[in-house]
Amino acid sequence: MIEYPKVAVVILNWNGKFFLEKFLPSVYNSTYPNIEFIIGDNASTDDSVAFVREYYPTIRIIHNDDNYGFAGGYNKVLKKVEADYFILLNSDVEVTPSWIEPVIDFMQKNDFVAAQPKIRAYHQRDYFEHAGAAGGHIDYFGYPFCKGRILNITEKDEGQYDVENEIFWATGAALFIKSNAWREAEGFDADFFAHMEEIDLCWRLKKMGYKIGYTPASVVYHVGGGTLNTSNPKKTYLNFRNNLLMLQKNLPFWRALAVIWTRLWLDLVALLHFLAEGKPRDAWAVSRAHQYFFLYFFKTALKRKKYNAIENKTGLYKKCIIWDFYTNKIQKYSNLSVNNFHKK
C-alpha cells in the first residue's frame, strides 16, 4: 500500500469571493488522496467566507482577526495547520485534477524542501505568467526574474523549459514547502506584508543549505494581480521596499553595503523614469520605500542571521539582468549564458 504524505492546500483570502467562486471548484477537485483544504481568511468584509461555508462545508476555515497581508496572514494561519507539506495557493489560480502528485513526487525523489509547478497565464494560456513562470532566479543586485519571464516580458511556452531543475526561488502563487522547513525558517517575514516574501524565504532556505526546485510535470494557470495590479503605486512601493529589506537581511555584510548603495542609485533612475512617464505616484512610492528602509534600518539589521550550513547559491545570476535586458537586448532566459549562474 502506497503511503501518501499529508498535504494541506491553504488559500489565503481577503475579500476574494469572485476568485473563490471561479477557481475553488478546480482546487476542490484535486485527486491527491491525503489532503486537507483550508481557507485562511484575513478578516474579510465581503461574503466570501459565507460562500465557502455554504457551498464547501468540508473546507476548514481559519480566521485571522485583521488583514495581516500575504506574509503575516499565512504565518498566523499555518501555525494552526498540521501536515507534511503545505501548498500555499493564490485564490486566483486554476489547477488541474492531478497537479499535486507530480510536485510531491519530484520533491521526495530529489530532496527539495520547496518547489513550484509551471505557472502559465490564465488569460494567455500558452504563455508563462509573470509571477513564477518556470522557476525564479535573482541577479547580483537582487533583481528577480524567471525562466520564461525577464522584467515585464513573458515568453510563449513552447516546451523550452520542460526540464526539472533547481532554482533560486519558487513562486508564492503556488508554493509547495515541507512543513518542517517552513517552521525551521520561521515562515515569511511579516514586515514584508506582500510581495517578495517568498523570495526572502527561499533565500533563507538556501542559506541553510536546502534546495528549491521546479517541475514542468504540473501546470497551473494564474490570473495575477488579483489583489494589487501592476499599475498600483502600492505594489511599486512594496516591491522596491521589500527588495531592499531582502538584500539587507541576506547578503554578506560588505557585499550588502556595496549592492544596496548601487541599488539606491538605480532606484533613483527608476524614480526619474516614473516622473518622465507621468507617474508621480509611482515615483513617490519609490521615495517612500527608501524612507522606510532607512527608518527601519536597525530593525532589519537585527534579522540578519548566521547559518551553520554552506549556502546553496544555485540559481543566483552573477551579472545584472537590468543591464542585459536594456543594453544587451536579452529578453529571453534561454539567451542568458549558463556560465553566469552559480551551480552551488
Side-chain angles (χ1 to χ4, degrees):
M1 182 186 222
I2 299 176
E3 290 190 13
Y4 293 90
K6 183 178 178 181
V7 165
V9 178
V10 186
I11 298 174
L12 191 67
N13 172 64
W14 182 70
N15 294 342
K17 182 184 177 183
F18 173 82
F19 289 124
L20 293 176
E21 285 182 318
K22 193 172 185 67
F23 298 118
L24 195 52
S26 72
V27 179
Y28 196 68
N29 289 329
S30 300
T31 57
Y32 190 82
N34 189 8
I35 191 168
E36 180 181 16
F37 299 103
I38 297 169
I39 299 294
D41 188 69
N42 255 348
S44 293
T45 55
D46 68 353
D47 55 351
S48 53
V49 171
F51 162 76
V52 175
R53 281 181 177 148
E54 180 177 356
Y55 293 99
Y56 300 93
T58 61
I59 291 181
R60 181 184 173 195
I61 300 173
I62 298 176
H63 297 273
N64 287 335
D65 61 0
D66 201 350
N67 179 12
Y68 294 98
F70 189 91
Y74 264 120
N75 284 355
K76 288 183 175 294
V77 168
L78 291 178
K79 286 179 181 179
K80 302 174 182 178
V81 178
E82 291 297 329
D84 299 302
Y85 288 84
F86 298 146
I87 301 177
L88 283 60
L89 186 70
N90 278 17
S91 60
D92 61 344
V93 171
E94 178 187 73
V95 303
T96 53
S98 58
W99 67 290
I100 296 175
E101 292 90 328
V103 186
I104 298 298
D105 184 62
F106 165 69
M107 292 177 69
Q108 289 187 305
K109 287 181 178 177
N110 297 280
D111 195 29
F112 288 105
V113 299
Q116 70 159 77
K118 180 187 290 187
I119 314 291
R120 282 188 187 156
Y122 178 77
H123 293 296
Q124 280 187 296
R125 297 177 78 84
D126 53 349
Y127 277 76
F128 290 104
E129 205 278 318
H130 183 277
H137 299 270
I138 61 170
D139 75 352
Y140 184 86
F141 295 100
Y143 291 108
F145 62 100
C146 308
K147 291 182 180 69
R149 190 272 295 175
I150 296 180
L151 300 191
N152 61 337
I153 302 296
T154 55
E155 299 178 39
K156 186 175 182 179
D157 180 11
E158 299 176 317
Q160 66 271 45
Y161 306 121
D162 277 359
V163 177
E164 296 178 340
N165 62 357
E166 187 174 353
I167 56 180
F168 195 86
W169 58 270
T171 177
L175 175 62
F176 289 64
I177 185 167
K178 290 183 177 179
S179 59
N180 57 357
W182 168 271
R183 295 188 180 104
E184 184 181 353
E186 300 178 351
F188 291 136
D189 184 337
D191 287 336
F192 277 48
F193 191 79
H195 298 295
M196 295 199 187
E197 66 288 310
E198 78 271 45
I199 306 177
D200 173 65
L201 171 61
C202 288
W203 199 341
R204 283 182 277 126
L205 289 169
K206 301 278 274 190
K207 290 173 73 175
M208 296 175 186
Y210 291 128
K211 297 192 297 181
I212 316 293
Y214 154 77
T215 176
S218 171
V219 181
V220 302
Y221 298 90
H222 184 212
V223 174
T227 304
L228 290 175
N229 62 48
T230 54
S231 62
N232 192 316
K234 185 173 182 180
K235 187 166 189 170
T236 301
Y237 166 71
L238 290 171
N239 277 328
F240 277 82
R241 184 198 70 168
N242 292 350
N243 200 292
L244 291 172
L245 301 183
M246 180 176 67
L247 293 172
Q248 185 187 2
K249 287 176 60 181
N250 293 297
L251 284 174
F253 179 77
W254 290 110
R255 187 178 155 204
L257 288 181
V259 169
I260 291 172
W261 172 256
T262 305
R263 277 298 305 272
L264 292 173
W265 285 103
L266 291 172
D267 287 358
L268 177 60
V269 173
L271 184 154
L272 295 174
H273 183 69
F274 281 132
L275 287 175
E277 287 188 325
K279 297 179 179 179
R281 293 177 64 202
D282 287 282
W284 175 238
V286 177
S287 177
R288 285 177 54 232
H290 287 189
Q291 292 171 46
Y292 181 100
F293 172 72
F294 287 110
L295 184 62
Y296 292 96
F297 181 89
F298 293 105
K299 178 183 178 182
T300 306
L302 293 175
K303 297 178 183 179
R304 293 173 57 85
K305 293 184 179 180
K306 292 183 179 179
Y307 299 95
N308 294 325
I310 297 175
E311 181 176 358
N312 178 4
K313 295 182 179 180
T314 303
L316 177 65
Y317 190 57
K318 301 175 185 177
K319 293 185 175 292
C320 178
I321 197 67
I322 303 295
W323 178 267
D324 282 338
F325 185 87
Y326 287 108
T327 304
N328 297 329
K329 307 301 180 183
I330 297 176
Q331 297 185 346
K332 291 185 177 181
Y333 176 89
S334 55
N335 291 334
L336 297 172
S337 173
V338 294
N339 295 325
N340 290 329
F341 286 88
H342 282 280
K343 296 179 177 61
K344 264 300 175 186

